[in-house]
Amino acid sequence: MAATMKDIARQTGLGLATISRYLNGGKVKEQNRAAIEKAISDLQFTVNEFARSLKTSKSKTIGVIIPELNSTFVATIIMLIEDILRKSGYGVIICDCSTNETLEKEAVQFLVRKNVDGIINMPVCKDGSHLKPALDKDLPVVLFDRSIANLKDVVDAVVVDNVRAAEDATRYLIENGHRKIGIIVGPGDVFTSRQRLAGYQQAYEKSGLEYDSSYISFSDYSVHGGHESMNRLLAEHAGMTAVFVTNYEMTLGAIIAINEAGIKLPKELSIIGFDNLQLSQVIKPRLTIITQPLEEIGEQVASRMLERLSGSGTKEAGIVTLSTRLQLGESVQKQN
Amino acid sequence: MAATMKDIARQTGLGLATISRYLNGGKVKEQNRAAIEKAISDLQFTVNEFARSLKTSKSKTIGVIIPELNSTFVATIIMLIEDILRKSGYGVIICDCSTNETLEKEAVQFLVRKNVDGIINMPVCKDGSHLKPALDKDLPVVLFDRSIANLKDVVDAVVVDNVRAAEDATRYLIENGHRKIGIIVGPGDVFTSRQRLAGYQQAYEKSGLEYDSSYISFSDYSVHGGHESMNRLLAEHAGMTAVFVTNYEMTLGAIIAINEAGIKLPKELSIIGFDNLQLSQVIKPRLTIITQPLEEIGEQVASRMLERLSGSGTKEAGIVTLSTRLQLGESVQKQN
DNA sequence: CTAGAAAACGGAAACGTTACCGAAATCTAT
DNA sequence: ATAGATTTCGGTAACGTTTCCGTTTTCTAG
C-alpha cells in the first residue's frame, strides 16, 4: 500500500543504501538528491518507523511518570517538557501513578516494555528501587522536583533549592517583625515538604529565635488540605500574625479559609503563598509568593534528557538546583 | 543480547510458529505450554514490540490532543483515560496544542507519523479538517467535550448536555426568584460556551422572561478571566442578584473577586459554579454547582476507543451525550 | 484396530528499515 | 593524461516477529 524505500529505489534507479543515507542526512550527489526528493513526493513516501525502530532499537518516545496530573505545578511542567521533546521528534507517554508506589513501579515496567528511550520521573518511591528495570537497560532517567539520594550519581535530577526558598520566605516575615509564623507544609515524608520545613526552621535559628512546633501544620498539598490546615491554625493560635503556605493548591485553600473567616489581608494576617504567579495577581491584596522557575525546570529536564539521548552528555549525572524567587506583593504587613 | 523467540524455539525444540501461537493466546499442547513457559522465564524472554509492530502495523499507542493540559477538567479526564487504556496495554501520547489550531494540526500529523493506533481529541479546530491525516489512514478518532458537526457520522464524540446544564442552573435561579442573573461564559466561538449560553437564554425564554444581554460576560475559561468578568458585572449591574459561572477556573476567579469586594454569599449575591466538587465543598457557604460526570466521560471515551480498536464496535459512529447534575449547596438565596 | 476428522505443529516468506564494506565514480595535482 | 586519494554508491545480511499453508500428530467413532 504505502510506498517503501524499495519503491524510491526503483523509481530513481538508486540503491537502497543510498536512499537510506539520504533519509538519515548523509551525503548524496546533488542530482540524486533531487531525484530522491521527487520520488518521495511523487509516491508520498514516509519512513516506516516500525522498521526503523526494529533496526535501531529506538522508539523516539520517552515516558513520563508523575504522582498526579491534576496539579498546576505538574501539568505546567509536563506541557513544557512535552513541547520541547516533541520538537525533537520525541513522543511523550504519560503515566499518572496516583501517588502510589506500586503503580509507579508498574509504570516503569510498562514503559520499559513499551521500549521508551528514556524516563522522566517525579518520584514517589523514596529509594529509587522502582527505576531498576530502566537502569538495568541503561535507559537515561531524569528526575524532577525531588531527588533520590541513592541514585544521585546515576541519574540526573532537576530540583529547586527548597530550603533556601522557605528560608527566604520565613526570614522575610521575621524581618517584617513577625514572630509567630504558621507554616502549612505537605506530607511529612515528601522530599519537598521536608526541605521547605527545614528552611522555615533554619530561618528561625539563624535569627536566634525559636519556633513553636505547634505552628507547623502538615497537610497534603491539596486545596482541601490547605483550607483545613488554615482553619486549624487560626483556631489554635489567636496570636499568629503570619502564615507561609508551601504550594499552590494549599495556598488557594488557605486564602478561601481566610476569606470565609472574614480576616483582612494583610492587616490581620500576613501570608506568603507558593507558585502560580497568575493567582497571586488575581487576589487582592496581591499575594507575596515564592515562585519556582517552571519554564527553567521544564527546559532543564528536557535538555538533560536530550543530551543523554544523543549520547553527547558524557559528563556525569548530577543534580541541577535552581533558585526560587520571593515575588513581593502586598500580603505581608510590617509588624511592630 | 536479549532472548528472542528463536532462543525459546531452540531450548524447547519447538518451531517458531508454535512459540508465536502461544504468545498470542493460541492453542498449544499442555506439555509444550509448560516447556515454553519455563524457557521464557529461564531466558527472561520478552517480546520485541518493534518486530511485532513491524508485522502487525500496530503500535499499541494512542494519541491524545488537548487544548491545554493546565486545567482541572482536562487533566482529570486525561488521568482517567490514561488509566483505562494503560490497563489494556495502550500507551498514551499527550500533545498539548495551546489552544492553537496550527499546533493542533501539526499534532495530528506528528501522531500519525508516530503510528498511533487511534486519536482522542478535545478539538480546537471547528471544522475537523485537522483530523484528515488520521481519517485518511482510517484511524479511529474519539472526540470529547466538543463535537464537530461535519464529522458526526465519522467519529465518535462524548459530550455533556451543556444546553440542559445551563438551563437547569438558570431555571433554578429563576425559580428562586432571581430575575437579573449574570452569566460568565467562555470564548464566544467555543462549542461549550455557545451551548451553555444557549441554555441560559432558553431558561429565560421558557419562563416567559427576558434577559438583558449586558448581563452576559464573555471570558476565557481562566481564573484571571473569571475574576475580571465578575468585577465587570459587579461594577455595571448594581441590581444583579445572581451569577452563573460556566467553568471551574472562572468560578474560582469569580469567588475571589466576590470575596475581595466584601460581598456576602449568598445574602447579597447568589452564585452557581461549575465543575469541581472538591472546591465547592471547601468554600463556605458550600457552593451550588453544575457538575460534569468526569469519570463517565473518561470511561466512555476510553471504551469507545477500545471498541473501535478491537474492531468489535461495528455500530456506526455517534455522539454520546451525558447528563450533568445540579449539585445543591447553599450559595443560592431565595429572592422575593 | 483403523479410517477419517480435528488439532497442533513448523518451514519459510515476508514486514521495511539500517549498516557493513567492497566497488565504482569523481576529484586533485602533477 | 593519469595515479592516487576521496567520495559516493549498492548488494546483502540482518533486526525479531507473524502468518500462510502444507504436514504431522492426536482424537473420535464404528
Side-chain angles (χ1 to χ4, degrees):
Chain A
M1 190 109 312
T4 74
M5 283 171 51
K6 239 176 246 172
D7 299 317
I8 306 292
R10 192 173 316 122
Q11 168 162 338
T12 59
L14 295 167
L16 273 186
T18 306
I19 317 293
S20 173
R21 203 174 309 125
Y22 165 84
L23 254 14
N24 293 291
K27 288 267 161 278
V28 173
K29 252 207 310 201
E30 180 51 30
Q31 89 193 53
N32 291 337
R33 212 179 91 81
I36 294 177
E37 279 168 2
K38 174 163 186 318
I40 286 180
S41 97
D42 283 357
L43 305 174
Q44 302 203 60
F45 167 84
T46 55
V47 175
N48 181 317
E49 298 289 347
F50 292 141
R52 177 177 277 179
S53 287
L54 176 58
K55 280 302 287 187
T56 61
S57 296
K58 295 277 174 286
S59 64
K60 279 284 190 172
T61 279
I62 84 124
V64 176
I65 306 174
I66 49 176
E68 196 87 44
L69 231 198
N70 202 346
S71 121
T72 7
F73 173 76
V74 174
T76 305
I77 293 203
I78 300 295
M79 277 171 45
L80 293 161
I81 291 176
E82 193 264 310
D83 191 54
I84 298 175
L85 292 180
R86 175 144 41 113
K87 283 181 180 141
S88 294
Y90 284 91
V92 169
I93 297 187
I94 300 278
C95 290
D96 179 307
C97 71
S98 308
T99 319
N100 174 320
E101 294 197 23
T102 309
L103 289 180
E104 186 177 42
K105 176 171 276 178
E106 287 172 8
V108 174
Q109 292 163 358
F110 175 79
L111 291 172
V112 168
R113 268 201 312 275
K114 275 240 159 314
N115 293 300
V116 295
D117 296 340
I119 290 184
I120 290 172
N121 179 212
M122 172 166 159
V124 174
C125 170
K126 272 119 210 132
D127 64 8
S129 56
H130 62 302
L131 291 168
K132 187 159 190 313
L135 297 173
D136 284 350
K137 271 188 73 176
D138 271 326
L139 293 184
V141 171
V142 178
L143 305 178
F144 72 93
D145 191 58
R146 311 161 181 180
S147 66
I148 293 179
N150 295 344
L151 263 38
K152 72 171 185 299
D153 303 318
V154 188
V155 308
D156 284 313
V158 178
V159 300
V160 299
D161 189 340
N162 289 289
V163 178
R164 173 88 185 278
E167 192 185 332
D168 285 350
T170 312
R171 183 180 351 96
Y172 179 74
L173 289 169
I174 291 175
E175 285 170 359
N176 275 275
H178 295 275
R179 291 299 175 266
K180 306 200 163 202
I181 304 170
I183 181 171
I184 301 178
V185 291
D189 61 343
V190 170
F191 181 81
T192 49
S193 297
R194 281 211 303 265
Q195 290 206 322
R196 288 169 197 172
L197 179 54
Y200 166 88
Q201 296 167 327
Q202 203 164 298
Y204 265 98
E205 281 156 20
K206 287 191 183 169
S207 309
L209 299 169
E210 303 230 323
Y211 62 88
D212 175 345
S213 62
S214 72
Y215 280 79
I216 298 170
S217 179
F218 288 95
S219 183
D220 62 357
Y221 280 148
S222 77
V223 177
H224 188 261
H227 185 260
E228 216 170 54
S229 280
M230 181 57 87
N231 277 335
R232 191 172 343 122
L233 286 175
L234 289 173
E236 294 174 4
H237 299 289
M240 180 174 70
T241 62
V243 179
F244 173 38
V245 195
T246 62
N247 89 329
Y248 164 66
E249 277 79 11
M250 296 193 301
T251 300
L252 197 53
I255 295 286
I256 292 171
I258 289 170
N259 284 333
E260 285 167 5
I263 293 172
K264 291 273 172 278
L265 293 183
K267 289 234 157 51
E268 300 169 32
L269 187 71
S270 290
I271 193 157
I272 296 185
F274 217 95
D275 274 337
N276 207 311
L277 203 54
Q278 207 204 354
L279 176 75
S280 78
Q281 310 287 28
V282 163
I283 291 175
K284 292 241 171 54
R286 282 197 352 264
L287 225 49
T288 292
I289 52 172
I290 291 286
T291 58
Q292 300 190 66
L294 300 188
E295 302 72 19
E296 208 179 339
I297 295 175
E299 251 166 53
Q300 283 285 342
V301 170
S303 60
R304 291 285 127 193
M305 181 51 79
L306 289 173
E307 271 174 28
R308 295 280 166 218
L309 289 170
S310 70
S312 71
T314 340
K315 51 188 170 205
E316 60 210 21
I319 300 181
V320 179
T321 304
L322 303 176
S323 303
T324 57
R325 217 157 58 84
L326 179 66
Q327 168 90 23
L328 299 183
E330 295 137 4
S331 63
V332 174
Q333 170 96 342
K334 200 149 196 126
Q335 201 76 6
N336 311 308
Chain B
M1 191 107 313
T4 74
M5 283 172 51
K6 240 177 245 172
D7 300 316
I8 306 291
R10 191 172 318 121
Q11 167 162 341
T12 58
L14 295 166
L16 275 186
T18 306
I19 316 295
S20 173
R21 204 173 309 124
Y22 166 85
L23 254 15
N24 293 291
K27 288 267 162 276
V28 172
K29 254 207 307 200
E30 180 50 28
Q31 90 193 53
N32 290 336
R33 212 179 91 80
I36 294 176
E37 279 167 3
K38 175 164 188 316
I40 287 180
S41 98
D42 283 357
L43 304 174
Q44 302 203 59
F45 166 84
T46 55
V47 175
N48 180 319
E49 298 288 346
F50 292 142
R52 177 176 277 179
S53 287
L54 176 58
K55 282 301 290 187
T56 61
S57 296
K58 294 278 173 286
S59 64
K60 280 285 191 171
T61 281
I62 84 123
V64 176
I65 307 174
I66 49 175
E68 196 87 44
L69 230 196
N70 201 347
S71 119
T72 8
F73 173 76
V74 174
T76 305
I77 293 205
I78 299 296
M79 277 170 45
L80 292 161
I81 291 176
E82 193 265 309
D83 191 52
I84 298 175
L85 292 179
R86 174 142 44 111
K87 283 181 182 142
S88 295
Y90 285 90
V92 169
I93 298 187
I94 300 277
C95 290
D96 179 308
C97 71
S98 308
T99 320
N100 174 320
E101 294 197 23
T102 309
L103 289 180
E104 187 178 42
K105 176 172 276 180
E106 287 172 9
V108 174
Q109 293 163 358
F110 176 79
L111 292 172
V112 168
R113 268 202 311 276
K114 276 241 160 311
N115 293 301
V116 295
D117 296 340
I119 291 184
I120 290 173
N121 179 211
M122 172 166 158
V124 174
C125 170
K126 271 123 211 125
D127 63 9
S129 56
H130 63 302
L131 291 168
K132 187 161 190 311
L135 297 174
D136 284 350
K137 271 190 73 177
D138 271 326
L139 293 183
V141 171
V142 178
L143 305 178
F144 72 92
D145 191 58
R146 311 160 182 180
S147 65
I148 292 179
N150 295 344
L151 263 40
K152 73 169 183 302
D153 302 318
V154 188
V155 307
D156 284 314
V158 178
V159 300
V160 299
D161 189 340
N162 289 290
V163 178
R164 173 90 184 277
E167 191 185 332
D168 285 350
T170 312
R171 184 180 350 98
Y172 179 75
L173 289 169
I174 291 175
E175 286 170 358
N176 275 275
H178 295 275
R179 291 299 174 267
K180 307 202 162 201
I181 304 170
I183 181 171
I184 301 179
V185 290
D189 60 344
V190 170
F191 181 81
T192 49
S193 298
R194 281 210 303 263
Q195 290 205 322
R196 288 169 196 172
L197 179 54
Y200 167 87
Q201 296 168 327
Q202 204 163 297
Y204 265 98
E205 280 156 20
K206 288 192 184 169
S207 310
L209 299 169
E210 303 231 322
Y211 62 88
D212 174 345
S213 62
S214 71
Y215 280 77
I216 299 169
S217 179
F218 288 94
S219 182
D220 62 357
Y221 280 148
S222 77
V223 177
H224 188 261
H227 185 259
E228 217 171 52
S229 280
M230 181 56 88
N231 277 334
R232 193 175 337 125
L233 285 175
L234 289 173
E236 293 173 5
H237 299 289
M240 180 174 71
T241 62
V243 179
F244 173 39
V245 195
T246 61
N247 89 330
Y248 164 67
E249 277 79 10
M250 295 193 302
T251 300
L252 197 54
I255 296 287
I256 293 170
I258 289 170
N259 284 334
E260 285 166 4
I263 292 172
K264 291 272 172 279
L265 292 183
K267 288 235 159 49
E268 299 169 33
L269 187 70
S270 290
I271 193 158
I272 296 184
F274 217 94
D275 273 336
N276 207 310
L277 202 55
Q278 207 203 354
L279 177 74
S280 78
Q281 311 286 30
V282 162
I283 291 177
K284 293 243 170 51
R286 282 194 357 263
L287 225 49
T288 291
I289 52 172
I290 291 286
T291 57
Q292 302 190 66
L294 300 188
E295 302 73 18
E296 208 180 338
I297 295 175
E299 250 165 55
Q300 282 286 342
V301 169
S303 59
R304 292 285 127 195
M305 180 51 79
L306 289 173
E307 269 173 31
R308 296 280 166 218
L309 289 170
S310 70
S312 71
T314 339
K315 53 187 168 206
E316 59 210 20
I319 300 182
V320 178
T321 304
L322 303 175
S323 303
T324 57
R325 217 156 59 82
L326 179 66
Q327 168 88 24
L328 298 183
E330 296 136 4
S331 63
V332 174
Q333 170 96 342
K334 201 152 196 122
Q335 201 76 7
N336 312 310

